[in-house]
Amino acid sequence: MRDVEGLKVEGLEVKVVSIRRHCEERSNLNAIVYSAIIFLLFLSISSFAQKKSKNMNDKQIVIYQLLPRLFGNKNTANIPYGTIEQNGSGKFNDITDKALDGIKELHVNYVWYTGAIAHASLTDYSAYGIKNDDADVVKGRAGSPYAIRDYYDVDPDLAVDVKNRMKEFEALIKRTHAKKLKVLIDFVPNHVARSYHSYAKPKNVMDFGAKDDATKSFSPQNDFYYIPGKTFVVPVNDQKTPLSVLQDGKFDENPAKATGNNVFSASPKYDDWYETIKLNYGVDYQNGEKQYFSPVPPVWIKMRDILIYWTKKGADGFRCDMAEMVPIAFWNWVIPQVKKVNPDLIFLGEAYNPQVYKQYLEEGKFDYLYDKVGLYDGLKRLIRNEPSADVREIRHVWQVESAGFGKNMLRFLENHDEERIASAGFAGKAELALPAMVVSATLGSGPVMLYFGQEVGEPGKGQEGFGGDDNRTTIFDYWGVPNHQKWMNGGLFDGHKLNAAQQKLRAYYKQLLKVTSASDAVVNGEIYDVPHSGNMNNRMYAFIRYSGKQRLLVVANFDRNQTLEASIEIPDHILKVKHSSPVTDLLTDTKLNIPAGTSIPVKLVPVSAQVIEF
């Protein structure tokens, strides 16, 4: 065929035979037939595109965050500051088909593999051509997943065969996709490890800083910021640890570079991000934050190429670390370019300033942002039963703080940065957060996230190493995660070692996400704020989610002592929406004996919630 035109519609590529030349060679009748065929083909393509678009929006995004280093680790030694030989490490290969099936049971559709990219650590991989890192600029023995040592490599800790570590990660991506799950990985754009050096980079790639003029504190063409004439000074830690014998208080960096959390000093403090160096996106922070974005700074181009590299490896999205510390102009420039490679990619930004959320979504082109400072912080106060806790904070989030873009906010109650719900410092008991989890999963149509072990009440207990006993599961150390290991059951991933309470908790999460992930009212519906009625107080909240297909009444009682009793009046405009018969509590799949009318009576015991379809 001499004339073939390529046609691409939303990821579907088809070849269409050009009829122009064929019309010259065939009768008019044939031309009409050919035209009709192509017209039908276009209709088919259009139908496919619409169907695909619809299918992308018919389920809530549910993200499951896990650290491969911790997730697959069966070792229970848990020696503080233990080596990889002592405490073990999970591998990519440990995330088996059975493990993915277990994750999928929770109605998850994205898995965030935290710490997959190579980062600084104290484990010796010199036999594989990787230079040892300096203990003076590594936090913990395993190191922080956010101190990237090589953007083009994966963490050797996570490979059974270190030489084939990339192939093992690619196999994990393939396994994940085969289960119809999508892959999120971290993109850490603000800083890199002080020891950054890429051994795995493609031949045409130049390392960060390779062409820098280190005599200048700032240059738009430099990749780093410098403190000319001064040598980097390792911060002092007066506390002795098992790593002290590996630390001599020195690290060869001359001139010193600025530290990741915008510390422009040769002597960062111990509570700074001293193990990282700040990347230069063309902002002169020491001179009024003057911007030099034209010509495009070299870091922009390097970062774009890194994102494209991992997209081509099969990543379906990126969780962008400390997104607000990188200029919004960069995101505006880079996200559309990377989405040309895969239009279905999602970009999720770690963000903490509600004043700029809208700007990062609209101008920065992010798909989703953390809802931490708004919803998470307010729910945490309610879960903890703090004196200042008030459900008005929930209302403020959706009516004011994220009004108009609630669908773009990621809701969560745990992640690697936050305290475990069941920890002594947070709630002490995982079940105390269930009303908050119901609100997180139903308040908006945006993504909801679980952190591995959350669904079985992991308490984050113990003096792990660098993190100490801080109510979190360490990200700096080799460690086993006890409650999660009970569900893992030596690699069977069947939960048979969980006690009855842990099994019940996981079943609750499973049912809640079954309900919300496929709910038309949650994914596509409006929200109505239910006025206080009955004995509702500032620890009790109700709202209605409704669409043309479904109506849900969500009621949450955070009160530790008082039963919520009220008759919820349903406004006329919602009563006109298609209703469900019989009225059902979807979390327990219980049919409620409620007479037809304009109100729904509710009675909730302390620390409980209902999602009522009516």
Side-chain angles (χ1 to χ4, degrees), residues 40 94 100 109 283 298 309 312 426 448 489 501 545 555 569:
L40 290 171
D94 291 323
L100 293 168
N109 40 40
V283 180
Y309 174 83
K312 289 181 176 179
F426 191 154
V448 62
N489 192 17
R545 297 300 309 273
V555 190
E569 295 293 330

Side-chain angles (χ1 to χ4, degrees), residues 309-505:
Y309 174 83
W310 290 108
T311 299
K312 289 181 176 179
K313 288 281 184 190
D316 300 293
F318 299 93
R319 178 271 188 186
C320 302
D321 188 68
M322 299 306 298
E324 294 166 312
M325 294 187 76
V326 172
I328 201 164
F330 166 72
W331 299 115
N332 175 274
W333 176 85
V334 78
I335 290 176
Q337 291 193 60
V338 183
K339 284 195 175 188
K340 287 179 182 176
V341 180
N342 178 3
D344 292 335
L345 281 174
I346 65 169
F347 280 80
L348 166 61
E350 180 189 15
Y352 298 108
N353 181 7
Q355 303 303 315
V356 297
Y357 285 170
K358 191 172 183 181
Q359 188 182 7
Y360 270 78
L361 290 167
E362 292 180 355
E363 187 182 336
K365 309 292 186 186
F366 274 94
D367 297 291
Y368 307 106
L369 299 175
Y370 271 35
D371 195 346
K372 194 273 180 191
V373 173
L375 191 64
Y376 170 87
D377 285 351
L379 290 176
K380 185 173 184 179
R381 284 186 278 273
L382 285 162
I383 296 165
R384 286 166 50 85
N385 200 31
E386 295 179 10
S388 63
D390 198 309
V391 295
R392 286 183 299 180
E393 293 188 81
I394 302 172
R395 185 178 296 112
H396 178 79
V397 165
W398 71 266
Q399 290 186 351
V400 180
E401 192 173 274
S402 57
F405 54 87
K407 68 182 184 299
N408 302 107
M409 303 306 292
L410 167 76
R411 272 70 194 250
F412 59 87
L413 293 182
E414 284 192 359
N415 65 37
H416 66 280
D417 284 320
E418 308 301 341
E419 293 177 313
R420 289 285 193 177
I421 296 162
S423 69
F426 191 154
K429 187 178 179 184
E431 288 77 8
L432 291 172
L434 294 181
M437 192 64 213
V438 170
V439 171
S440 292
T442 57
L443 189 67
S445 58
V448 62
M449 184 170 76
L450 299 181
Y451 186 41
F452 83 107
Q454 176 183 343
E455 72 279 14
V456 291
E458 179 58 45
K461 197 174 180 180
Q463 190 84 22
E464 301 146 328
F466 181 84
D469 194 356
D470 64 352
N471 305 308
R472 296 166 176 82
T473 295
T474 180
I475 65 170
F476 304 103
D477 304 279
Y478 301 109
W479 202 253
V481 184
N483 282 15
H484 167 72
Q485 287 178 327
K486 292 174 186 175
W487 173 71
M488 183 167 53
N489 192 17
L492 295 177
F493 297 97
D494 58 11
H496 282 182
K497 291 187 177 179
L498 296 172
N499 63 32
Q502 292 159 347
Q503 290 179 354
K504 185 178 178 182
L505 181 67

Side-chain angles (χ1 to χ4, degrees), residues 5-16 45 48:
E5 297 174 355
L7 177 64
K8 191 170 185 179
V9 178
E10 290 194 355
L12 174 68
E13 192 167 350
V14 297
K15 302 283 184 188
V16 179
I45 292 165
F48 173 87

Side-chain angles (χ1 to χ4, degrees), residues 87 123 137 140 202 213 262 278 289 311 399 415 433 435 439 466 470 502 508 510 527 549 557 571 577:
N87 284 353
T123 301
V137 288
D213 181 351
N262 292 4
K278 174 82 175 179
E289 298 191 17
T311 299
Q399 290 186 351
N415 65 37
V439 171
F466 181 84
D470 64 352
Q502 292 159 347
Y508 189 99
K510 184 177 173 181
I527 184 169
K549 297 179 180 178
N557 183 7
V577 173

